[in-house]
């Protein structure tokens, strides 16, 4: 059965299947792969994933909830707070 369904689905694109199914009165939408959500019109219109500089050479999209401000600065680098954390536990 899976082979039959897979062969049949391969006959059209995801968009074509979504269109066919919704015209038939069925709920249908594509399943996005990782990263596809960044191209969604709503994500772009609401700036829901503004780029954040994560290293001096790289910026990555970081999701935020509506009403939340964009992250103002990147996360600290590896080991950036090690000394301070150790001091809190009495380790020098």
């Amino acid at each position: 059965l899976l082979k039959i369904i897979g062969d049949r689905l391969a006959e059209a694109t995801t968009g074509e299947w979504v269109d066919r199914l919704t015209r038939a009165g069925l709920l249908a939408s594509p399943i996005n792969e990782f990263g596809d959500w960044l191209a969604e019109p709503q994500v772009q219109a609401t700036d829901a994933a503004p780029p954040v500089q994560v290293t001096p050479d790289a910026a990555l999209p970081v999701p935020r909830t509506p009403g939340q401000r964009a992250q103002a600065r990147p996360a600290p680098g590896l080991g950036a707070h090690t000394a301070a954390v150790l001091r809190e536990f009495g380790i020098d």
Side-chain angles (χ1 to χ4, degrees), residues 12-70:
T13 67
T14 300
E16 291 168 333
W17 280 114
V18 169
D19 186 50
R20 287 180 192 179
L21 293 168
T22 54
R23 279 185 298 161
L26 300 169
L27 292 175
S29 65
I31 298 174
N32 289 333
E33 293 187 24
F34 183 80
D36 288 347
W37 62 277
L38 293 169
E40 290 290 327
Q42 182 70 13
V43 171
Q44 293 180 357
T46 60
D47 196 26
V52 172
Q53 201 73 32
V54 293
T55 69
D57 301 323
L60 297 173
V62 176
R64 62 186 180 89
T65 56
Q68 179 187 23
R69 292 181 304 167

Side-chain angles (χ1 to χ4, degrees), residues 52-56 71-85:
V52 172
Q53 201 73 32
V54 293
T55 69
Q71 191 170 345
R73 60 179 192 261
L78 183 62
H81 297 124
T82 300
V85 170

